[in-house]
């Protein structure tokens, strides 16, 4: 255990001494993020980015104040650039649009939605049970995680404001009614007013996506494009780091240090474990440095710290699995390097590091599921949109499973390959 | 003295090829034992089996009481290994390399730090300890390579051709280090294809060729086998071609063998004084100036020649 740790530390140290490696691990993703950020206008205040005109279909079966207010949010000027809403009366038709990948998500506002929040006079008869809130259904397109994530966050934000009932510290209408301070008759008017307010004065918070009014014209909708670019680039060059680490396994063989390790009282499991741990450590260090630097220099908000750390660890684990797998298949360090570079680029593109996956054909989107990039990017987007660790179970599970499976295959392949014994 | 190493019919095949064909020998505690043989003789393969890196095809060896096949971990603790090819992390400093390898031998804390300083002193790199190995000369790298093998104070040290490809000065330093280690009580198994090194260092020598030990014993015992021969060593100018002399000398009656050794020409004969005049004449005829001539007693080169009909270095 200790030796495994020591071998890992040794590899971390060597990686951070290699100037060429440092350029690819740290400088390249940083500079590319900066460059692409400029192209997309992050640094000039222009909010145009790869994520625009997200198709969303809205089915308003409620047709009351809050349902209308939510629909109006999507019609609003503020979201005009970001979303491309269509309206339908048929939930099935709406779901079909999503299934056919013509829409990123369907928002189905059920009948009685407003009433479940702002009860009518009848429902508010003494002794009757407090009505349960009927949830708004979001039918998301799984192949467009980012876009549907954005739609979901807009709806979540609306709902949470409704539930909190406060835009500027007001007591919720529901509470007002329950406490008898307004009559149910008044509630309808209050609801209308509230819908109005929700539409006009969305609050400002620290999420990467905000329906905000803080920019110069007070109108622009912001999804910080860097919140997408920076993790995309970091993840792409994480693939470099893991193949660099994999290469070092074979390099230790050719440079004679692996045979030398094997004549010390250290067993091969400790050695292989140490090498894997070294890759993991180096990848984690790389990600944390990139995250730290972009937070400081670009004021980029990565979101929930715990979530970020857990996601980084899972992403590096998944990527390390790939590094091991490439290494187990290759014969020479040079092969690992060239296959590694190819995979870095392919995964970078497929995984959505350059362009949002939503803009790629479905075949590619399915293929992308084998890349750690897409799952991790999905997770980082969730975090950037205000999600927490609790919302990351899918990407984290996927990344951990990916790492485990690849690791097991690699161990079998390494066993067959017989690194040292003659 | 008890045996620290007992090799019993050790053999190794690479596929169909028999690299080591069942060798047996013992090493006594406190001695320097040399395995002398040409390239490809099976020296590295033998050391690799003894150091538990390769699994023998057959046979076994007992080191410090442990079998290399049944108790490899105990063997590893007892031995130090200096591989033929450098095995170091070039991006780490000498000190960092020594610390890392010391950790792999289970050293830690103060005792590791002290031991690293001692070894740095011993290999003469205390001043350069904080430079990365990749900035070192070949000789300095070789010394670090040796230092790694010394960290855990092994009872038995394997050194596989530690002087190949370095300048004479570094070579001298390494040979001195070997003797010093032996004086401090370390037992050594030293492989080489340089007869002079085996002669200078070893108490006993095993001569290995084509995977077989063809002779074993002290130098005296070995040279006795050759009978009465003498070797003439001719030192000639750098610009002259020694090969032309070798061809010429082979034509002289009474010359048993002529070879090129480090740009010198060696001539083996039963009687030096009978061939001396002819040797000088042949050289003059070819316009080659002889700077000096040494006449040597029978040596291991002659033994190898006697046993195999070939020169040690072809
Ligand atoms: N891994 C290997 N696979 C096949 N043949 C090998 C291998 N290693 C060495 N040999 C062959 O075995 C013989 C002995 O090699 P080696 O032990 O390295 O000799 P030495 O160290 O005395 O020069 C040589 O003929 C060499 O070509
Ligand atoms: Mg050798």
């Amino acid at each position: 255990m200790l030796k495994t740790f020591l071998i890992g530390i040794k590899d971390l140290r060597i990686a951070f001494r290699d100037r060429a490696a440092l350029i690819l691990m740290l400088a390249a993703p940083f500079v590319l993020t900066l460059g692409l950020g400029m192209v997309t206008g992050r640094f000039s205040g222009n909010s145009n980015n790869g994520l625009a005109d997200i198709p969303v279909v809205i089915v308003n079966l409620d047709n009351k104040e809050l349902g209308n207010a939510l629909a109006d949010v999507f019609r609003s000027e503020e979201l005009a650039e970001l979303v491309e809403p269509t309206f339908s009366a048929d939930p099935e038709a709406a779901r079909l649009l999503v299934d056919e990948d013509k829409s990123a998500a369907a928002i189905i506002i059920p009948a009685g939605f407003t009433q479940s929040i702002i009860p009518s006079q009848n429902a508010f008869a003494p002794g009757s049970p407090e009505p349960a809130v009927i949830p708004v259904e979001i039918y998301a397109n799984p192949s467009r995680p980012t876009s549907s994530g954005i739609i979901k966050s807009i709806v979540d934000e609306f709902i949470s404001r409704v539930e909190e009932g406060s835009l500027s510290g007001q007591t919720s209408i529901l509470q007002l009614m329950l406490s008898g301070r307004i009559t149910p008759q008044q509630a309808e008017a209050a609801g209308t007013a509230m819908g109005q307010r929700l539409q006009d004065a969305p609050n400002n918070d620290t999420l990467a996506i905000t329906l905000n009014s803080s920019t110069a014209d007070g109108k622009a909708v912001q999804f910080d494009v860097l919140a997408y670019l920076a993790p995309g680039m970091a993840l792409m060059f994480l693939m470099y780091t893991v193949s660099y680490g994999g290469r070092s396994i074979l390099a230790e063989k050719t440079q004679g240090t692996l045979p030398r390790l094997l004549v010390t009282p250290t067993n091969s499991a400790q050695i292989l474990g140490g090498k894997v741990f070294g890759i993991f450590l180096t990848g984690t260090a790389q990600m944390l440095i990139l995250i730290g630097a972009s937070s400081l220099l670009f004021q980029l908000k990565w979101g929930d710290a715990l979530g970020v750390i857990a996601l980084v660890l899972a992403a590096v684990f998944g990527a390390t699995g790939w590094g091991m797998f490439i290494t187990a298949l290759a014969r020479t360090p040079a092969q690992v390097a060239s296959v590694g570079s190819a995979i870095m680029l392919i995964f970078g593109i497929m995984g959505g590091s350059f362009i949002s996956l939503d803009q790629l054909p479905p075949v590619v989107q399915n293929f992308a599921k084998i890349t750690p990039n897409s799952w991790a990017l999905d997770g980082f987007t969730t975090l950037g949109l205000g999600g927490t660790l609790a919302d990351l179970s899918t990407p984290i599970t996927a990344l951990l499973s990916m790492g485990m499976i690849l690791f097991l295959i690699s161990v079998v392949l390494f066993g067959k390959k017989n690194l040292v014994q003659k | 003295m008890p045996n620290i190493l007992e090799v019993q019919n050790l053999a190794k095949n690479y596929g169909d090829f028999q690299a080591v064909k069942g060798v047996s020998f013992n090493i006594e505690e406190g001695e320097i034992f040399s395995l002398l043989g040409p390239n490809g003789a099976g020296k590295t393969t033998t050391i690799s089996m003894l150091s538990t890196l390769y699994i023998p095809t057959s046979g076994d060896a007992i080191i410090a009481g442990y079998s290399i096949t049944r108790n490899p971990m105990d063997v590893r603790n007892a031995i130090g290994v200096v591989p033929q090819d450098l095995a170091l992390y070039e991006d780490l400093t000498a000190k960092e390399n020594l610390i890392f390898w010391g950790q792999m031998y289970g050293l830690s804390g103060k005792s590791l730090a002290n031991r690293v300083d001692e070894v740095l002193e011993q290999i003469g790199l205390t001043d350069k300890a904080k430079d990365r190995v990749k900035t070192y000369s070949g000789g300095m790298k070789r010394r670090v390579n040796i230092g790694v093998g010394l960290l855990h104070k092994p009872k038995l040290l394997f050194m596989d051709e530690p002087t190949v490809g370095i300048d004479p000065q570094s070579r001298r330093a390494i040979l001195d280090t070997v003797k010093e280690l032996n004086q401090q009580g370390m037992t050594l198994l030293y492989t080489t294809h340089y007869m002079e090194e085996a002669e200078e260092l070893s108490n006993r020598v095993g001569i290995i060729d084509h995977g077989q030990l063809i002779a074993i014993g002290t130098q005296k015992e070995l040279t006795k086998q050759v009978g009465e021969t003498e070797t003439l060593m001719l030192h000639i100018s750098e610009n002259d071609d020694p090969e032309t002399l070798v061809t010429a000398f082979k034509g002289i009656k009474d010359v048993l063998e002529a070879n090129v050794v480090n740009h010198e020409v060696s001539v083996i004969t039963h009687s030096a004084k009978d061939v001396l005049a002819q040797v000088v004449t042949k050289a003059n005829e070819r316009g080659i100036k002889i700077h000096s001539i040494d006449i040597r007693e029978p040596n291991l080169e002659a033994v190898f020649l006697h046993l195999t009909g070939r020169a040690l270095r072809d």
Side-chain angles (χ1 to χ4, degrees), chain A residues 194-274:
Chain A
M194 178 172 151
Q196 197 60 45
R197 273 194 302 273
L198 282 170
Q199 207 177 315
D200 291 350
N203 72 352
N204 222 339
D205 56 27
T206 55
L207 304 183
I209 176 161
T210 48
L211 308 176
N212 89 5
S213 53
S214 69
T215 46
D217 59 1
K219 287 288 182 193
V221 168
Q222 251 190 10
F223 173 76
D224 188 341
V225 64
L226 278 196
Y228 190 82
L229 277 179
M233 289 301 131
L235 289 164
M236 184 165 110
F237 287 93
L238 172 63
M239 289 309 295
Y240 165 79
T241 305
V242 299
S243 68
Y244 175 87
R247 184 168 45 146
S248 88
I249 296 179
L250 299 188
E252 289 226 28
K253 187 186 172 190
T254 48
Q255 80 197 15
T257 43
L258 184 61
R260 185 167 223 168
L261 276 167
L262 283 162
V263 299
T264 69
T266 312
N267 64 43
S268 37
Q270 286 172 309
I271 296 168
L272 193 62

Side-chain angles (χ1 to χ4, degrees), chain A residues 3 6-7 10 13-14 17 252 255-257 259-267 420-422, chain B residues 12 51 53-55 76-77 81 83 86-89 91 96 100-101 103-105 132 145 148:
Chain A
K3 284 186 186 171
L6 293 168
I7 292 170
K10 181 265 298 170
R13 177 177 275 165
I14 289 175
R17 280 208 185 150
E252 289 226 28
Q255 80 197 15
T257 43
R260 185 167 223 168
L261 276 167
L262 283 162
V263 299
T264 69
T266 312
N267 64 43
V420 190
Q421 289 290 3
K422 293 273 165 51
Chain B
K12 181 73 188 175
S51 55
L53 183 62
Y54 294 173
I55 297 168
R76 291 176 192 186
N77 275 311
V81 181
L86 295 172
L88 299 168
Y89 298 105
D91 281 317
E96 287 166 341
F100 174 75
W101 291 108
Q103 289 168 333
M104 292 303 110
Y105 278 102
R132 292 194 198 173
N145 202 40
V148 169

Side-chain angles (χ1 to χ4, degrees), chain B residues 31-83:
Chain B
E31 75 173 333
I32 300 181
F33 182 92
S34 290
L35 265 185
L36 174 67
N39 281 331
K43 303 182 294 295
T44 300
T45 304
T46 303
I47 292 239
S48 298
M49 287 189 282
L50 294 178
S51 55
T52 76
L53 183 62
Y54 294 173
I55 297 168
T57 305
S58 63
D60 200 356
I62 306 297
I63 296 177
Y66 300 108
S67 153
I68 57 167
T69 53
R70 278 168 286 129
N71 325 95
M73 280 294 167
D74 296 305
V75 170
R76 291 176 192 186
N77 275 311
I79 59 167
V81 181
V82 178

